[in-house]
């Protein structure tokens, strides 16, 4: 039986919030805005918890990198059924420039430290849409990766993953230890219920810094500018098909 | 606040204080080219409050705000305004009050009784820009929301807290709109309707007065302080005031859920099972009835293979241990009532499969006659009378050659005939209309109501009079006259 699953959870702006760009164009407004767990991370947690319920895994550890507030996100994972949490403290400038490279270095270091044999992550975060952390983590660990998973089956010391790809579905078999990233149709995550939220308060969250794991937090990426998409222009009504064709020609579209 | 009035002498009709000249003046106000100056001045006054983008006279937008999901035809307002806060709502109402313009509150337009039609033109107040969830108190199980917050929006907001708002009318309706129509849903048998779950409302009256029905900011779980103004406005369908905030009662999310389906040889057997399940003290969360016609429609629509018999769809909420007990007791009861094919599931995906028939019932009914529209009836009777009314209604449908599959919230004695009809065929429209009147009167004769959850709106005003009787109607009209003496709030509805 596999010992330990590591699940990465990211605290992002809630999907239902209308995003606004800061007046200085350096980023988006995050103060006072509702945050919650990245939806793909919820799917990852759900999958890990289901594996534990099927007794295919012994322990689920939820990890998040960021300032004090990410503890709420870890608590949600605990309420969904994770056993314990790890909060890697990253704040200030380091948090502003935190990206997939640093996170994957942290996850790789933790995977070794915790002797995890399975890492499940969301396929991407809804704030940056990078879709890189899972792939980078696998590369750093030199582990096989099953990305965009819509189905995950543990078969002994191997993992069968059905991947959602452009042409349809691809089924692959990977030797453990392995990194899997969750796609939308992998499962439907459970809601955290009150009794479980109460129980989660008693579960442990360990604190550590990237330095404790020997990770260099320097970013190789610098955000120059953030802009809103162009405002939608009013449409024009036309009277006839000829009119439409001539207007399209004028605009150089045909 | 307008001074208190005596009840009007003409008891059978809505008080029409200055109305005939008033609405002619309104119509004149907005019909070009006469009196364009007055129209422009009013529009400028509205724009001064709500901003240029907050006042719209475009035809498409007005049509969108003149219809809901009922079969009543579109009655567009003259203007649509989009206030951003209660102060703007109040200021805009004052302008309408001064010019005697009807005020029509609009949430999501998902009503089923034509409640948003602007019969006399006027100003539609679309409240969707006021979309904040305010003041969540997790430990007190309450939250205050603005009218732009919908049911699904709120539950999504709450998803990390372990709490939810269980009233589920099907559509993703505005919560304040649900309060205005006293909405209910499949969960009512366990969690109640809006009447039981609204703790406080912020109301704007036609003259712009703003007040809170239970006192500003108050949210005790129970109270015996003064008249129950909160429940006066719940169900008032926009005829007494605009609802700009609602404080709602929240519940803990169920730890686990089990869904089950069971077929029965007769309607009587299905309803008997329902009554016995309730009597056994099973805290059942949803208990839905689909008749054989509906099951057949669902089978065809979704390529399912349920036995074509009266069927119950059940849902249980609780801890794993409690669920085991609930399901065991219920299965036993259904067996004793000749129920068959009892199947149940606990995981989300299989539950969704099991309930798919019930979820898609509306579309399955529509698919029986492509190109037609559907109208849902909505009567509610005491439980013991349910088998009789359903049997008589089915007979009525057959005799009159009408398509009306039945879906019902049997735990409440409430059921809907989904009348599928061709709206262009006046003869069929007439037959359906007469059928629904007979059905409503059948329910009234059995100590029931002509509307269990959809409201009175436009089409059931005469039935309301029959249901309540002239004296109760007089009291209602007196209240209306007190709170809205100029009859500007959604005129032509309810009373």
């Amino acid at each position: 039986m596999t010992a330990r699953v590591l699940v990465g959870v990211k605290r992002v702006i809630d999907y239902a919030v209308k995003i606004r760009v800061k007046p200085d164009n350096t980023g988006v407004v995050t103060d006072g805005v509702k945050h919650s767990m990245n939806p793909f991370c919820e799917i990852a947690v759900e999958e890990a918890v289901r594996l534990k319920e099927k007794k295919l895994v012994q322990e689920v550890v939820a990890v998040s990198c960021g300032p004090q507030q990410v503890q709420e996100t870890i608590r949600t994972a605990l309420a969904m059924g994770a056993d314990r949490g790890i909060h890697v403290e990253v704040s200030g400038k380091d948090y502003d420039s935190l990206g997939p490279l640093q996170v994957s270095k942290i996850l790789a270091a933790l995977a070794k430290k915790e002797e995890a044999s399975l890492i499940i992550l969301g396929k991407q975060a809804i704030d940056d849409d990078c879709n890189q952390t899972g792939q980078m983590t696998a590369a750093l660990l030199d582990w096989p990766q099953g990305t965009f998973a819509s189905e995950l089956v543990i078969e002994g010391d191997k993992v069968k993953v059905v991947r959602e790809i452009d042409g349809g579905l691809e089924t692959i078999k990977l030797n453990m230890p392995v990194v899997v990233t969750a796609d939308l149709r992998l499962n439907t995550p459970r809601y955290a219920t009150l009794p479980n939220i109460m129980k989660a308060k008693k579960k442990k969250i360990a604190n550590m810094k990237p330095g404790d794991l020997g990770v260099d937090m320097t970013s190789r990426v610098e955000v120059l500018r953030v802009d809103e998409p162009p405002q939608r222009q009013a449409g024009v009504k036309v009277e006839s098909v000829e009119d439409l064709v001539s207007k399209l020609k004028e605009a150089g579209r045909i | 606040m307008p001074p208190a009035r005596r009840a009007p002498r003409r008891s059978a009709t809505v008080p029409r204080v200055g109305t005939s000249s008033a609405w002619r003046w309104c119509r004149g106000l907005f019909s070009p080219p006469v009196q364009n100056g007055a129209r422009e001045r009013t529009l400028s006054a509205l724009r001064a409050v709500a901003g240029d983008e907050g006042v719209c006279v475009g035809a498409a937008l007005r049509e969108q705000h003149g219809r809901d999901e009922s079969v009543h035809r579109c009655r567009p307002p003259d203007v649509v305004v989009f206030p951003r806060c209660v102060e703007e709502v109040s200021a805009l109402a004052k302008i309408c009050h001064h010019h005697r313009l009807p005020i029509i509150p609009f949430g999501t337009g998902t009503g089923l009784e034509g409640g948003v039609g602007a019969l006399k033109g006027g100003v539609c107040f679309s409240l969707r820009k006021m979309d904040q969830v305010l003041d969540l108190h997790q430990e007190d199980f309450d939250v205050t929301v603005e009218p732009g917050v919908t049911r699904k929006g709120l539950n999504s907001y709450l998803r990390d807290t372990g709490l939810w708002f269980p009233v589920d009318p099907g559509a993703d309706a505005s919560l304040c709109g649900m309060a205005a129509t006293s909405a209910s849903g499949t969960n009512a048998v366990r969690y109640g309707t809006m009447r039981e779950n609204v703790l406080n409302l912020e109301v704007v009256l036609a003259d712009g007065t703003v007040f809170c029905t239970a006192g500003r900011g108050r949210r005790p779980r129970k109270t015996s302080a003064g008249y129950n103004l909160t429940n006066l406005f719940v169900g008032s369908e926009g005829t007494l005031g605009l609802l700009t905030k609602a404080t709602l009662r929240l519940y803990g999310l169920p730890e686990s859920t089990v869904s089950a389906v069971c077929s029965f040889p007769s309607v009587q057997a299905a309803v008997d099972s329902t009554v016995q399940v309730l009597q056994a003290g099973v805290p059942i969360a949803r208990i839905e009835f689909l008749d054989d016609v509906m099951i057949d429609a669902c089978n065809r629509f979704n390529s399912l293979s349920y036995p074509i018999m009266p069927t119950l769809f059940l849902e249980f909420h609780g801890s794993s241990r409690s669920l085991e007990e609930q399901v065991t007791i219920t299965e036993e009861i259904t067996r004793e009532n000749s129920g068959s094919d009892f199947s149940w599931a606990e995981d989300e995906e299989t539950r969704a499969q099991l309930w798919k028939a019930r979820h898609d019932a509306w579309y399955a009914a529509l698919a029986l006659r492509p190109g037609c529209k559907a109208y849902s009836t909505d009567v509610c009777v005491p439980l013991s009378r349910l088998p009789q009314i359903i049997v008589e209604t089915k007979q009525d449908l057959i005799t009159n050659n009408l398509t009306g599959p039945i879906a019902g919230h049997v735990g409440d004695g409430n059921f809907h005939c989904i009348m599928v009809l061709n709206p262009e065929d006046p003869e069929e429209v007439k037959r359906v209309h007469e059928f629904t009147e007979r059905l409503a009167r059948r329910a009234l004769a059995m100590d029931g109501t002509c509307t269990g959850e959809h409201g009175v709106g436009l089409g059931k005003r005469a039935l309301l009079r029959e249901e309540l009787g002239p004296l109760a109607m007089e009291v209602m009209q007196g209240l209306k006259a007190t709170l809205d003496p100029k009859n500007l709030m959604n005129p032509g509805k309810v009373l």
Side-chain angles (χ1 to χ4, degrees), chain B residues 204-473:
Chain B
V204 179
L205 296 176
D207 64 0
T209 307
V210 183
F211 74 102
C212 289
T213 53
R216 187 160 291 282
R218 303 210 180 283
R219 48 191 183 83
R221 286 179 71 79
K222 62 185 193 187
T223 175
S224 51
Y227 300 155
N228 190 346
L229 292 182
T230 306
N231 271 9
L232 171 63
F233 284 88
V234 172
S236 58
E237 302 187 44
T239 58
L240 297 179
L242 296 115
L243 306 182
T244 50
K245 281 194 190 69
T247 304
L248 305 168
R249 199 189 291 279
L250 299 173
Y251 295 76
L253 276 167
E255 257 195 79
S256 308
T257 307
V258 164
S259 299
V261 186
C262 189
S263 310
F264 293 87
S266 65
V267 176
Q268 184 78 48
V271 180
D272 284 345
S273 302
T274 307
V275 174
Q276 285 161 29
V277 163
L278 293 169
Q279 285 171 336
V282 175
I284 193 145
R286 283 187 234 253
I287 181 158
E288 293 288 292
F289 170 82
L290 263 56
D291 78 339
D292 51 331
V293 178
M294 179 61 93
I295 285 286
D296 186 37
C298 295
N299 278 348
R300 289 179 210 218
F301 185 68
N302 274 317
S303 308
L304 301 166
S305 51
Y306 287 106
I308 302 180
M309 298 156 68
T311 310
L312 283 185
F313 287 80
L314 310 120
E315 193 172 286
F316 306 87
H317 294 170
S319 65
S320 310
R321 264 188 290 175
S322 149
L323 285 177
E324 223 184 284
E325 194 183 40
Q326 290 182 46
V327 173
T328 311
I329 296 177
T330 306
E331 185 170 8
E332 219 179 284
I333 292 174
T334 61
R335 236 181 308 123
E336 284 165 15
N337 285 291
S338 314
S340 55
D341 301 284
F342 187 97
S343 40
W344 61 273
E346 193 166 345
D347 68 280
E348 172 112 28
E349 285 92 10
T350 320
R351 277 194 287 116
Q353 266 298 97
L354 223 47
W355 263 67
K356 197 163 172 50
R358 172 64 188 86
H359 279 137
D360 293 343
W362 182 264
Y363 305 103
L366 272 171
L368 284 174
R369 292 176 62 191
C372 288
K373 290 235 150 85
Y375 166 69
S376 170
T377 68
D378 172 41
V379 299
C380 188
V381 295
L383 275 175
S384 58
R385 312 302 301 269
L386 197 58
Q388 183 190 355
I389 193 173
I390 291 184
V391 167
E392 284 177 20
T393 303
K394 282 170 77 69
Q395 190 52 54
D396 191 339
L397 286 165
I398 295 170
T399 310
N400 289 287
N401 196 22
L402 293 165
T403 318
I406 295 179
H409 318 303
V410 281
D412 310 316
N414 178 210
F415 72 98
H416 306 293
C417 296
I418 303 181
M419 309 305 300
V420 187
L421 74 155
N422 179 1
E424 310 298 319
D425 176 359
E427 195 272 329
E428 188 175 17
V429 170
K430 183 161 166 289
R431 265 187 301 130
V432 170
H433 181 73
E434 287 167 357
F435 166 82
T436 58
E437 301 246 306
R438 281 195 300 276
L439 173 57
R441 293 200 171 99
R442 205 174 290 133
L444 292 178
M446 294 186 189
D447 304 336
T449 170
C450 65
T451 171
E453 43 184 26
H454 296 169
V456 173
L458 190 47
K460 291 186 175 172
R461 292 176 304 153
L463 289 167
L464 182 69
R465 252 171 261 145
E466 281 180 47
E467 181 169 331
L468 295 178
L471 297 172
M473 285 302 289

Side-chain angles (χ1 to χ4, degrees), chain A residues 16-212:
Chain A
V17 169
K18 216 175 275 187
I19 308 287
R20 283 176 303 135
V21 175
K22 284 201 272 209
D24 62 4
N25 293 99
T26 55
V28 300
V29 177
T30 53
D31 279 338
V33 168
K34 182 165 203 284
H35 284 64
S36 50
M37 192 190 292
N38 180 39
F40 294 106
C41 299
E42 287 179 352
I43 298 175
V45 174
E46 174 66 26
E47 196 63 21
V49 172
R50 285 192 190 187
L51 288 174
K52 196 182 86 160
E53 285 169 349
K54 289 186 213 159
K55 300 212 187 343
L56 293 166
V57 205
Q58 200 162 32
E59 198 187 27
V60 176
V61 183
V63 181
S64 193
C65 308
Q68 188 61 22
Q69 294 96 310
V70 306
Q71 297 225 357
E72 291 161 17
T73 315
I74 301 176
R75 288 269 169 229
T76 305
L78 296 173
M80 286 173 70
D83 296 292
R84 59 184 166 87
I86 299 177
H87 172 200
V88 181
E89 291 168 18
V90 180
S91 50
K93 283 254 168 353
D94 278 345
Y95 184 59
D96 292 337
S97 62
L98 184 64
L101 184 58
Q102 300 96 309
V103 174
S104 51
K105 286 178 181 171
I106 290 170
L107 289 176
L110 279 173
K112 290 194 194 121
K113 183 169 181 286
E114 296 286 337
E115 293 174 339
S117 31
L118 176 58
I119 300 179
I120 311 182
L121 306 173
K123 72 171 178 181
Q124 66 197 58
I126 60 170
D127 51 6
D128 54 24
D129 282 331
C130 283
N131 193 333
Q132 296 166 357
T133 308
Q135 292 87 335
M136 286 179 171
T137 310
L140 288 168
L141 289 166
D142 197 22
W143 287 9
Q145 56 185 259
T147 53
F148 308 100
S150 64
E151 205 185 311
L152 166 62
V153 181
I154 297 187
E155 294 170 352
D157 62 347
K158 297 197 202 303
V159 166
K160 187 183 87 172
V161 175
V162 177
R163 304 180 59 227
E164 297 204 11
I165 60 175
D166 283 347
L169 297 171
E170 179 192 52
T171 308
I172 56 176
K173 208 171 222 171
L174 310 164
N175 295 321
M176 303 254 270
V178 83
V179 175
V180 174
T181 72
D183 208 324
L184 192 62
R185 276 160 280 265
L186 182 58
N187 60 49
T188 310
R190 67 195 65 191
Y191 286 115
T193 62
L194 273 178
N196 287 335
I197 291 176
M198 303 310 294
K199 276 186 228 161
K201 291 196 178 149
K202 301 196 189 114
K203 295 183 182 175
K204 291 208 181 350
I205 300 181
N207 289 308
M208 55 186 75
K209 294 200 167 40
D212 303 336

